[in-house]
Amino acid sequence: MPIHLGRPLALAACLTLVAGSLAEAAPKRKIVEFVADDEDDEDEEDEEDEEDEYSDEIDAPFVSKRGVTTAKRDWRFSFGPNVWAASVDANVAVGDKSVGTALEFMQLSRYTRYGVPLVAEVRYKRFSLVTDLLYAVVDVAGGNQVGPLMVTLQGTVSSLLVDSMGGYRFLGDDESRVSLEGRAGVRYQSTAISGSIGVGGSGFTAPEIVDAGGDLLAGARVVVRPFSRLHVTGTVDQSIAGSSTSTWSAGAEANVRVASWFQVDIGWRTLTQQRAAISTVMHGPRVALQLLF
C-alpha cells in the first residue's frame, strides 16, 4: 500500500512543482509582452495623435479675435421666407388721367389672396449673390354713389417683383466690426390689373392692363457688427438703365442669430418705381426667417 501511494504522491508533487514554475514564468513573459505592446501602442497612439492634429487643423473651428467660433469654410448659404407688410401707393395712367386720381372719390378695399415671398443668398469668400422674390395677388373692390347712379369696381392685381444682386466685399470680412460691399444686379417687375366696372346696375369688363420690364441696378450694402450674434445691415440701390423712368430702394434691418443654423431679420424697406403707365411706392416693416448652412 505505501508503495502504491508513494508513486502517485511523487507524481502529484512533480506536477505541482512544474505548475508552480510555469505560474512564476508566465507573468514574467506577460510583463515583457505587455511592455512591448505598450510601446507599440504608444507609437500607434502618437501616429493617431499626429493624424488627429492634422485633421483638426483642417476641420477645426476658427476662433476670431472677438471670441466668435465659426467654421472655416468658403461657401455660405441662407434662404427662407420674408414678410413685407408694405403699404402700396399706386397710380395707373389712363390717357391724361390716372386711376389713382380718377378714383379718389371711391372707397377701395384690398384683400391679399396669396403671396409667395422668398429671399436667398449664396456667398463664396468675398463674392455674394442675393435673390429677393415676391409674388402676390390682391383683390380690390370699391363703390360710391355718383348722383343717382352707383359706380362699383371689382378687380384683381397680380404682381411679381424679383431683385437679383451680385456683390463683392472690398472692406472687412465676416468677423469685422464694419464691412462694405459693392453691388450690381437686375430688378424685374410685372404688374397685371384686370377688373370690371359697374354703373347703375350695368357693367362692363375693362381691358387688362399689363406692365412689365427690367432695370439694371447699382448699389451697396454695409454691415455693422456690435455683438457676436447681432449685426445691422443697410442696403441701397438705384437704377442706371432699363424700362423704368426711375427706380430705387433702401432698407435697414437688424439680424439676430438665434442659433448656428437660424437667423431672424427685422427691418424696414422702401421701394419706388416710376414708369410710363404705372408708378408705385412700397414701404413698410419687413421680417425674414433665414436657415443658415
Side-chain angles (χ1 to χ4, degrees):
M1 185 65 109
I3 296 175
H4 294 290
L5 288 176
R7 294 182 61 185
L9 289 174
L11 182 59
C14 291
L15 291 175
T16 302
L17 291 174
V18 171
S21 62
L22 290 175
E24 292 177 357
K28 293 180 181 179
R29 286 197 297 270
K30 284 185 179 180
I31 291 173
V32 173
E33 293 174 358
F34 180 74
V35 172
D37 289 340
D38 280 348
E39 294 176 354
D40 294 336
D41 291 339
E42 288 176 359
D43 293 336
E44 292 177 1
E45 288 176 1
D46 291 338
E47 294 176 359
E48 290 176 359
D49 290 339
E50 292 176 359
E51 293 176 359
D52 290 339
E53 290 175 359
Y54 177 75
S55 62
D56 289 341
E57 291 176 356
I58 299 175
D59 299 329
F62 170 70
V63 180
S64 68
K65 295 179 181 179
R66 300 175 59 199
V68 180
T69 303
T70 57
K72 280 186 176 180
R73 62 179 187 273
D74 295 331
W75 289 94
R76 297 176 183 271
F77 304 88
S78 66
F79 73 96
N82 69 87
V83 178
W84 187 14
S87 298
V88 181
D89 303 321
N91 285 319
V92 180
V94 182
D96 59 349
K97 294 185 179 296
S98 68
V99 173
T101 58
L103 296 180
E104 285 180 354
F105 69 93
M106 186 177 293
Q107 296 297 320
L108 291 177
S109 62
R110 301 185 181 97
Y111 173 73
T112 302
R113 191 184 301 174
Y114 59 87
V116 181
L118 180 67
V119 61
E121 179 174 1
V122 179
R123 177 173 292 280
Y124 176 72
K125 294 184 178 180
R126 291 183 174 269
F127 297 91
S128 67
L129 177 62
V130 181
T131 298
D132 195 338
L133 179 147
L134 174 63
Y135 179 72
V137 177
V138 179
D139 292 332
V140 294
N144 201 358
Q145 191 77 26
V146 181
L149 300 177
M150 182 66 181
V151 180
T152 61
L153 170 67
Q154 297 287 335
T156 300
V157 179
S158 60
S159 178
L160 172 65
L161 177 65
V162 180
D163 283 0
S164 186
M165 303 286 288
Y168 178 78
R169 185 175 56 205
F170 55 87
L171 176 64
D173 55 29
D174 290 332
E175 305 300 331
S176 301
R177 289 287 186 182
V178 179
S179 61
L180 183 61
E181 179 180 277
R183 308 174 82 188
V186 177
R187 172 172 296 139
Y188 175 80
Q189 183 268 341
S190 176
T191 301
I193 303 173
S194 60
S196 61
I197 299 175
V199 180
S202 62
F204 65 94
T205 301
E208 185 179 42
I209 300 173
V210 178
D211 180 74
D215 299 282
L216 296 177
L217 306 174
R221 174 167 63 177
V222 61
V223 180
V224 180
R225 299 177 179 85
F227 305 104
S228 60
R229 290 185 176 271
L230 170 66
H231 61 276
V232 180
T233 304
T235 59
V236 63
D237 60 66
Q238 171 69 51
S239 62
I240 55 178
S243 57
S244 299
T245 305
S246 175
T247 178
W248 63 269
S249 74
E253 59 187 21
N255 316 105
V256 181
R257 176 168 290 194
V258 180
S260 60
W261 53 272
F262 184 67
Q263 178 174 291
V264 178
D265 305 334
I266 304 174
W268 184 280
R269 188 188 185 196
T270 299
L271 186 150
T272 70
Q273 284 187 306
Q274 296 179 1
R275 297 189 179 180
I278 298 178
S279 297
T280 60
V281 178
M282 304 173 64
H283 54 89
R286 178 167 135 156
V287 178
L289 306 178
Q290 296 290 290
L291 297 178
L292 312 174
F293 58 98

